[in-house]
Amino acid sequence: MGPGAAVALVFVGCCSNVVSLELLVRQFPGCGNIVTFAQFLFIALEGFVFETNFGRKKPAIPIRNYVIMVTMFFTISVINNYALNFNIAMPLHMIFRSGSLIANMVLGIIILKKRYSASKYLSIALVSAGIFICTIMSAKQVNVANEGSEEENFYGFVRWLIGICMLTFALLMSARMGIFQETLYKQYGKHSKEALFYNHCLPLPGFLLLSTDIYSHCLHFSQSTPTVVPVVGLTVPIMWLYLLINVITQYVCIRGVFILTTECASLTVTLVVTLRKFLSLIFSIMYFQNPFTGWHWVGTGVVFLGTLLYTEVWTSVRAALRGPDVEEKKAD
């Protein structure tokens, strides 16, 4: 499969996944745990069959390292989805998760003792400023939306703050996991498909801690409005259909990113993922009529400007445009 097909998988899979997640969350804001469990189960089953050959293939990276990685990955996934229970709107959720560059740089400086160019620090400042603007504007909307007594307004705002703290923690934990993966791949080589399987298989017993909540949402989903599945002709509760679409699109999204990392440079992968997030955000605002003020647009623009600056897209574009001229001069 070529880069073009991989890019198509990323855009179609990831954007569709965001839409299906919003459809689920709008009906049941607390359904994050069942969504996470379904995604993990599907990807683990696929990996068990096609990656480990029904458990006959031994891992290239020791299991003890995967246990550490999986603990972080499971925590990140659950917290990110569960944060939607705390007055966190989907647009803010997407913008906040776009701040992974900040966390990666901060932990890279602290743990790996890395040093960056001035443009990198400027880009991180822009991303931080953009997220700060969007967060402040969303905080004001929480206060406006919670019309009622002063106590109810305070309670709603505290819930929102808890959600912000959860997203911040998940952001930092994700960056730490990225650094841990980087050190593992340097030591044992890159085994992305293997890591994908173990990251989704090993945490499955952890969902027993969330079994009550998952079972409760299974009942809610089963009581949702019946709908006819196109082509197949089966009648199923609509929430189960949304969940199935979410699981499949999540798999398509992850597979697309994996193929892209093997076919293209990391800069291209970062740019594609960033553009995908921007399109998902625009679609979420337009289709679902999510509240988005002028200041939100300013903050979003600053976030993506900082991201593009960090990936040095402008330098690459200028080099590509200058390429033919440079070659002609060398030929002369």
Side-chain angles (χ1 to χ4, degrees):
M1 186 181 290
V7 170
L9 284 179
V10 171
F11 276 92
V12 173
C14 298
C15 291
S16 303
N17 183 255
V18 170
V19 173
S20 60
L21 179 60
E22 182 133 12
L23 288 169
L24 287 163
V25 169
R26 280 184 169 248
Q27 291 293 321
F28 297 99
C31 69
N33 290 331
I34 190 173
V35 171
T36 308
F37 172 68
Q39 292 173 352
F40 274 53
L41 182 62
F42 181 85
I43 294 172
L45 288 174
E46 188 275 341
F48 181 72
V49 175
F50 297 104
E51 172 58 24
T52 70
N53 192 19
F54 296 95
R56 288 193 286 265
K57 180 184 174 183
K58 291 184 178 180
I61 298 175
I63 289 292
R64 64 178 181 277
N65 290 316
Y66 278 125
V67 170
I68 298 171
M69 192 190 304
V70 157
T71 302
M72 291 189 279
F73 185 68
F74 176 76
T75 305
I76 293 162
S77 299
V78 171
I79 289 178
N80 270 327
N81 282 332
Y82 200 63
L84 294 168
N85 293 9
F86 292 83
N87 295 341
I88 302 293
M90 277 300 293
L92 179 61
H93 194 270
M94 284 186 275
I95 293 166
F96 218 91
R97 293 180 70 176
S98 298
S100 56
L101 289 174
I102 307 170
N104 286 337
M105 177 176 276
V106 171
L107 292 188
I109 292 170
I110 295 172
I111 297 172
L112 300 178
K113 309 299 181 185
K114 287 185 177 181
R115 292 295 176 265
Y116 299 91
S117 63
S119 64
K120 291 284 194 290
Y121 289 114
L122 175 60
S123 67
I124 293 304
L126 288 173
V127 172
S128 303
I131 292 176
F132 179 76
I133 291 169
C134 290
T135 305
I136 292 298
M137 291 302 108
S138 297
K140 290 182 179 180
Q141 286 180 344
V142 169
N143 287 333
V144 171
N146 291 330
E147 293 180 359
S149 65
E150 187 176 334
E151 186 177 340
E152 288 174 345
N153 290 342
F154 178 75
Y155 176 72
F157 183 70
V158 168
R159 281 182 62 82
W160 178 84
L161 279 180
I162 293 171
I164 292 295
C165 290
M166 291 171 73
L167 288 177
T168 304
F169 177 79
L171 202 63
L172 292 171
M173 179 72 81
S174 178
R176 182 65 187 89
M177 187 182 79
I179 291 172
F180 184 69
Q181 282 178 317
E182 187 179 327
T183 56
L184 280 184
Y185 290 157
K186 282 180 180 177
Q187 185 176 354
Y188 298 101
K190 290 188 176 182
H191 302 278
S192 302
K193 286 189 71 176
E194 179 183 289
L196 184 66
F197 165 69
Y198 284 105
N199 277 341
H200 288 82
C201 178
L202 294 180
L204 288 177
F207 285 100
L208 289 172
L209 300 173
L210 309 170
S211 57
T212 304
D213 180 71
I214 292 171
Y215 178 71
S216 171
H217 279 89
C218 283
L219 296 178
H220 290 315
F221 280 22
S222 298
Q223 293 167 2
S224 60
T225 307
T227 187
V228 178
V229 181
V231 182
V232 181
L234 290 175
T235 300
V236 297
I238 195 166
M239 296 305 291
W240 284 115
L241 179 60
Y242 288 158
L243 183 63
L244 177 64
I245 294 170
N246 181 269
V247 168
I248 293 172
T249 53
Q250 174 73 0
Y251 174 73
V252 171
C253 175
I254 288 178
R255 288 290 294 151
V257 172
F258 167 74
I259 295 167
L260 206 59
T261 56
T262 60
E263 296 283 344
C264 305
S266 59
L267 173 64
T268 306
V269 177
T270 305
L271 178 59
V272 169
V273 172
T274 300
L275 290 175
R276 193 279 303 169
K277 287 180 181 178
F278 187 72
L279 284 179
S280 297
L281 180 65
I282 299 297
F283 188 85
S284 175
I285 295 159
M286 299 298 184
Y287 184 78
F288 292 103
Q289 300 295 308
N290 281 311
F292 217 70
T293 65
W295 279 108
H296 281 95
W297 282 113
V298 170
T300 304
V302 172
V303 168
F304 285 101
L305 177 64
T307 303
L308 294 177
L309 179 63
Y310 183 90
T311 55
E312 299 177 349
V313 170
W314 313 120
T315 306
S316 301
V317 170
R318 283 200 300 269
L321 293 174
R322 284 201 307 263
D325 296 334
V326 173
E327 288 175 7
E328 285 175 14
K329 287 179 181 178
K330 286 182 178 178
D332 295 339

